[in-house]
Amino acid sequence: MIVCVSHSEFYNHVIHFFMEVEGFPKDEKIKTFLMKYANKMLVKEQFDKCFQTMRELFYWTRDSSYHYMRGFHEVMLYDFLIYIASLQEKILDFEDRYFDPVGLEMITSLVKTDKEDMPEESLDLLQEYYFDVGGYEDGIFQDTDFLDIVTLCNDHTFKDDNLIKRLGINMDYYFDILPRDIRNRYKTGHCTLSGEISALVGFIKEEIEHRDLYKLFWHHKTSVGMSKMKFILDHIILFYFQKLEIDICWDILETDNSLTFIFYKKRDQDIKVMMKLIGIQNRILKEEMVNNMFSESGQFNNSFFVFLASNKEEKKCIIDFISNYIYKDHIRLYLNVTIFDYHKRSVPSKNKE
């Protein structure tokens, strides 16, 4: 499925059937839709990606898996629904042509449930909600920030992020749908400092858990302390930003069980992003730690909390902590929390002849 909302099974089914009626996934049908009805700037600059996105939307809506939508998918899906809604206004027998028996059965079931919850509403009004394609965006999209992303990006260029902050918009999520000349300004694919640090965290995690970086965190059979880890990460971060030619500065604060990196750009030192590494040796992770994380994160434009696990027991402890105190609270999900698992890997033995 492509949408993570209530009634997602219904929306996926009817959208897929709309596409089938329109002749998808035939290449010429998709091309016709793109040239006539989709976002003109995206089609002109990134036709192949628009085409691939429409094919993905067609196949994604027919299965039961959750597929991660990017900004591109949101724009293309929105344009497609606007197109179908315009057809609904013109075609007299629209419901007969664009809703199959399975879709009609779903509507009957949904209306029955809605009637139990809202007995004061008429059946006709409840049915109209599911037949009115023009209202689908309210049920499918949590927001439609992508409609104003170019304006928001222009504001960001002139350092006016007031609306962006108030709406909680992640500019980097929409990077792919920006005009080409704007994307070319940001060679790394990130408009924001938060995006750069998020990519840095992902890079270090990948190098630790799937390559050999974890070996640097061990001296013989003992994990290194925070001072040594600070030295290692400082050089890794320096190499990372130099290779990408990103002008970012950082300060480092060290305690017995944590390292705090505070990142900023020389030309805009008011914007600061924190990456805090937390060691848990012999520590009990309690709910009060989450409150401290919230308090600390409020001092920065964005914060990333990284728990360090030197063995499987510590990793399990961290996972339990995240599950019990962060994932169960909707508000706390906004904390950026990850794990660097640097436990020692066993070396495969050589095959004996």
Side-chain angles (χ1 to χ4, degrees):
M1 289 184 281
I2 61 167
V3 285
C4 186
V5 291
S6 59
H7 307 332
S8 59
E9 184 179 359
F10 166 74
Y11 285 122
N12 276 272
H13 178 82
V14 296
I15 290 171
H16 185 79
F17 191 72
F18 291 164
M19 290 181 166
E20 285 188 328
V21 174
E22 288 301 303
F24 290 20
K26 292 181 180 179
D27 290 0
E28 64 272 16
K29 294 295 185 179
I30 295 178
K31 290 177 181 177
T32 298
F33 164 75
L34 292 176
M35 298 307 296
K36 290 186 176 181
Y37 306 106
N39 184 290
K40 296 187 183 304
M41 183 272 293
L42 288 179
V43 172
K44 181 180 179 180
E45 294 189 350
Q46 304 187 66
F47 180 85
D48 290 344
K49 194 162 187 177
C50 292
F51 183 86
Q52 179 62 28
T53 298
M54 291 308 302
R55 287 184 65 86
E56 288 176 349
L57 288 172
F58 176 81
Y59 290 112
W60 290 359
T61 49
R62 75 177 183 181
D63 65 37
S64 57
S65 300
Y66 175 74
H67 299 275
Y68 182 62
M69 290 178 66
R70 298 294 300 174
F72 236 103
H73 296 95
E74 292 193 21
V75 173
M76 291 293 107
L77 178 57
Y78 180 86
D79 288 346
F80 180 75
L81 290 175
I82 293 296
Y83 164 65
I84 296 296
S86 69
L87 293 181
Q88 188 173 31
E89 296 179 354
K90 301 173 185 176
I91 300 175
L92 294 179
D93 60 343
F94 179 87
E95 292 180 7
D96 294 332
R97 292 171 56 181
Y98 283 81
F99 289 89
D100 68 341
V102 175
L104 294 173
E105 185 176 339
M106 286 181 171
I107 291 175
T108 299
S109 177
L110 290 170
V111 168
K112 182 178 179 181
T113 301
D114 291 346
K115 184 64 176 176
E116 294 176 355
D117 296 334
M118 299 177 287
E120 70 281 1
E121 297 290 348
S122 67
L123 288 174
D124 289 342
L125 188 61
L126 294 173
Q127 278 188 336
E128 183 180 348
Y129 174 80
Y130 297 104
F131 281 118
D132 180 19
V133 180
Y136 279 14
E137 68 174 82
D138 293 333
I140 292 176
F141 301 102
Q142 291 184 342
D143 56 63
T144 53
D145 296 333
F146 52 85
L147 297 178
D148 301 310
I149 195 60
V150 174
T151 300
L152 294 171
C153 188
N154 290 339
D155 291 345
H156 178 70
T157 300
F158 293 104
K159 298 182 180 179
D160 180 10
D161 289 341
N162 292 326
L163 184 59
I164 294 171
K165 292 177 181 177
R166 191 157 65 246
L167 297 178
I169 297 171
N170 179 1
M171 293 284 293
D172 293 311
Y173 174 80
Y174 297 113
F175 182 83
D176 288 347
I177 67 174
L178 293 172
R180 182 185 293 120
D181 64 316
I182 296 178
R183 283 183 286 119
N184 287 342
R185 295 182 209 162
Y186 304 95
K187 300 298 184 181
T188 62
H190 302 286
C191 299
T192 64
L193 179 60
S194 293
E196 301 290 7
I197 305 310
S198 177
L200 169 67
V201 172
F203 168 78
I204 298 175
K205 181 178 178 68
E206 177 73 15
E207 294 296 312
I208 289 175
E209 299 184 1
H210 300 288
R211 293 183 177 83
D212 291 336
L213 182 57
Y214 76 92
K215 293 180 179 179
L216 296 179
F217 296 153
W218 291 91
H219 181 66
H220 299 305
K221 295 183 179 182
T222 306
S223 61
V224 301
M226 283 294 172
S227 294
K228 180 66 173 179
M229 196 171 289
K230 179 179 78 169
F231 177 81
I232 294 169
L233 290 173
D234 191 28
H235 282 75
I236 290 172
I237 294 170
L238 178 63
F239 169 78
Y240 175 85
F241 287 135
Q242 284 183 342
K243 186 177 180 180
L244 294 177
E245 299 181 350
I246 306 174
D247 182 21
I248 293 178
C249 306
W250 59 94
D251 300 322
I252 309 176
L253 305 176
E254 177 188 350
T255 67
D256 290 339
N257 53 33
S258 72
L259 281 176
T260 302
F261 291 78
I262 301 173
F263 298 93
Y264 57 93
K265 296 183 178 181
K266 286 183 179 179
R267 65 180 183 273
D268 193 6
Q269 298 188 28
D270 292 335
I271 303 296
K272 293 186 177 181
V273 173
M274 179 186 73
M275 179 181 74
K276 183 167 187 174
L277 285 76
I278 305 170
I280 71 160
Q281 292 88 345
N282 303 316
R283 297 179 66 192
I284 299 176
L285 304 181
K286 296 183 177 180
E287 186 171 10
E288 64 184 62
M289 177 178 282
V290 183
N291 298 328
N292 293 335
M293 291 164 66
F294 262 114
S295 176
E296 194 168 12
S297 65
Q299 302 172 35
F300 303 93
N301 294 84
N302 205 346
S303 300
F304 296 85
F305 295 92
V306 181
F307 287 90
L308 301 171
S310 63
N311 54 56
K312 294 181 179 179
E313 289 73 24
E314 287 182 356
K315 185 174 182 179
K316 182 180 184 304
C317 179
I318 296 168
I319 292 174
D320 290 343
F321 168 73
I322 294 173
S323 299
N324 293 331
Y325 297 114
I326 296 179
Y327 284 175
K328 286 190 175 182
D329 189 317
H330 178 72
I331 300 298
R332 291 176 177 179
L333 286 175
Y334 288 95
L335 285 172
N336 297 307
V337 180
T338 191
I339 303 172
F340 285 174
D341 177 11
Y342 67 98
H343 76 271
K344 298 192 75 171
R345 278 64 158 169
S346 58
V347 179
S349 58
K350 295 182 179 179
N351 294 325
K352 297 181 180 180
E353 295 183 0

